Amino acid sequence: METNSTDTTSKPSSLRWKLLRQALLRRSSLQNSDDQSRIRISRRTTHGFDLIPSKLVDKVPDSRDVRVCYTLPIAAGYRKLLLTQRVDNNTADLTDFEICNTYNIDNTGLVCHWPSEDVLAFFCLSHVDMFRSKRVIELGSGYGLAGLVIAATTEALEVVISDGNPQVVDYIQRNIDVNSGAFGDTIVKSMTLHWTTEDILDIFNTFDVIIASDCTFFKDFHKGLARIVKFLLKNTGPSEAIFVSPKRGDSLSKFLEEIEEIGLYFSITENYDAEVWKRHQAFMNGGDSWPSYDKDHCYPLLVRITL
C-alpha cells in the first residue's frame, strides 16, 4: 500500500521521529575484535538505569542484530538470559516505518532497549512473590526483557510477552525460544497485540498482573491502552497493572485521566526502590554517565492500576 507524506505525518507512528533519530545517533559504536566474530560495546553510555548486569556476546552474522547476555541474581546464585536485539549503526530502515504506518504503530521497540525496561525488569526481579503462580502479560514489551525475567525467576504460571509491532514480536519469539530452558514449568508465549484491537475475547478477564514500561508517551494511544488494561485484568480476585513510566510533560497525567474515566483506580510512587532512587539522585546531581538526564523525561515513576 502506497502512502504519501501527508498521511505519514498525520499518524501517531510518525510523532517520535526526532526522538528516534536522537536514539540512533546515541547508539554506541561497535568494534570488531581480532576474530571478527566477537565485539565489544559500551552499552547505552547515556542511559544509566542498567540495573541488571549485561554483556554483549556477539554480532549475529549477516544481520544488524547482536546477542546480549543478562545476568540475573537469584537465590541459588545467577541465571543468564540471552537476548537478540537490533543494532542500526546510526541509520534507520525505511521498511520499518512503512510497517509502522501500515499497522498504525510506533517503531520504538526496535530502535533500542529503553532504560525504563531495565527498571521494570529490576523491579520484577526484586518482587518475585508478586508473580508466583500468576498469569502475567507485558504490554508494549520491545525485546521482552521484563517478561523474560519474570518467566525465568518467579515461578509464574504463564507469561505472555506482547507488542503491537509484528517485527518486534518476531524478536520476542526468538528470545523465548533461545531461553526456553530457563523457564521451568512457566508457560511463555509471544503475542501481537494492538491496543485498539477488538479481536481478543480469548484473553478477556485473564491476567492477574499486567506490566508495561514507558508505554504512555503517545497520547493518541491512551484510550486504547486504558481500555486494554481494563479488558485484560482478571475481575475475580486481586489483580493489578504495574506501569513504570516517566512523566514526559503531561503525557502520563493525561493517560491517568483516561484510567479514571474508564473506571479504574491508580496510585503513583516516586521512591519505590532504594537502588533506582540512588541512581536517580546521582543523575540529578550531575553524574556524567547520563549528561542529558532530565527528571521529567527520564525518571520512571511506579504506577499501580487496579479495578
Side-chain angles (χ1 to χ4, degrees):
M1 176 178 164
E2 187 174 342
T3 59
N4 57 44
S5 59
T6 302
D7 293 334
T8 300
T9 56
S10 66
K11 290 187 175 183
S13 54
S14 68
L15 298 179
R16 222 180 184 196
W17 273 93
K18 288 185 178 180
L19 181 58
L20 300 185
R21 180 178 180 275
Q22 291 168 359
L24 291 170
L25 292 176
R26 286 199 302 263
R27 193 69 64 78
S28 301
S29 61
L30 301 178
Q31 299 177 340
N32 290 333
S33 63
D34 294 339
D35 66 2
Q36 300 298 309
S37 64
R38 310 283 291 183
I39 53 181
R40 302 185 302 274
I41 190 170
S42 176
R43 287 185 66 245
R44 301 192 313 284
T45 54
T46 57
H47 291 169
F49 285 125
D50 298 326
L51 295 164
I52 298 176
S54 60
K55 179 181 180 182
L56 191 68
V57 178
D58 59 18
K59 188 176 187 303
V60 179
D62 302 318
S63 78
R64 293 179 297 171
D65 298 340
V66 295
R67 297 187 184 96
V68 180
C69 182
Y70 291 85
T71 302
L72 313 179
I74 58 175
Y78 295 95
R79 181 160 294 162
K80 295 185 181 298
L81 290 177
L82 192 65
L83 269 68
T84 298
Q85 302 175 0
R86 173 81 67 85
V87 170
D88 284 308
N89 292 331
N90 297 342
T91 61
D93 189 335
L94 292 180
T95 302
D96 294 342
F97 293 102
E98 290 173 1
I99 290 174
C100 289
N101 288 329
T102 299
Y103 292 94
N104 193 23
I105 54 177
D106 69 90
N107 193 47
T108 53
L110 283 174
V111 169
C112 69
H113 177 84
W114 296 93
S116 292
E117 178 80 354
D118 280 340
V119 174
L120 177 60
F122 181 75
F123 178 84
C124 295
L125 188 61
S126 302
H127 297 80
V128 293
D129 289 343
M130 185 181 298
F131 306 98
R132 185 169 289 114
S133 302
K134 301 293 180 61
R135 296 186 184 276
V136 183
I137 186 168
E138 181 174 11
L139 302 178
S141 69
Y143 295 109
L145 175 61
L148 291 168
V149 165
I150 292 172
T153 64
T154 70
E155 299 179 2
L157 182 64
E158 179 182 25
V159 178
V160 178
I161 307 174
S162 73
D163 199 277
N165 188 329
Q167 290 179 289
V168 174
V169 175
D170 179 65
Y171 278 93
I172 294 169
Q173 187 57 53
R174 288 157 63 186
N175 290 331
I176 290 173
D177 291 343
V178 77
N179 293 290
S180 59
F183 302 147
D185 295 329
T186 300
I187 300 169
V188 188
K189 304 174 183 176
S190 64
M191 182 180 185
T192 302
L193 181 61
H194 198 290
W195 299 334
T196 61
T197 187
E198 300 292 338
D199 187 24
I200 51 174
L201 289 176
D202 56 330
I203 55 173
F204 170 70
N205 185 26
T206 294
F207 295 99
D208 302 287
V209 185
I210 297 171
I211 61 168
S213 62
D214 213 346
C215 284
T216 65
F217 46 80
F218 277 143
K219 296 178 184 178
D220 304 76
F221 294 152
H222 284 172
K223 284 187 181 295
L225 181 54
R227 184 192 69 89
I228 204 76
V229 168
K230 186 172 184 178
F231 189 92
L232 295 175
L233 281 177
K234 185 177 68 176
N235 56 32
T236 55
S239 62
E240 69 173 328
I242 300 167
F243 276 58
V244 173
S245 294
K247 287 184 178 179
R248 298 193 187 280
D250 67 350
S251 183
L252 179 59
S253 63
K254 290 294 184 183
F255 169 67
L256 294 176
E257 288 177 10
E258 296 292 343
I259 287 295
E260 287 187 314
E261 180 69 23
I262 205 169
L264 298 174
Y265 302 91
F266 70 87
S267 65
I268 302 176
T269 306
E270 184 177 44
N271 184 354
Y272 49 88
D273 182 89
E275 180 62 27
V276 175
W277 188 253
K278 181 177 73 174
R279 298 198 184 197
H280 163 62
Q281 295 287 71
F283 301 144
M284 290 294 293
N285 291 330
D288 58 6
S289 61
W290 199 338
S292 60
Y293 186 81
D294 173 77
K295 179 180 179 180
D296 178 86
H297 186 79
C298 300
Y299 181 69
L301 301 171
L302 178 68
V303 181
R304 302 180 80 155
I305 302 169
T306 57
L307 295 171

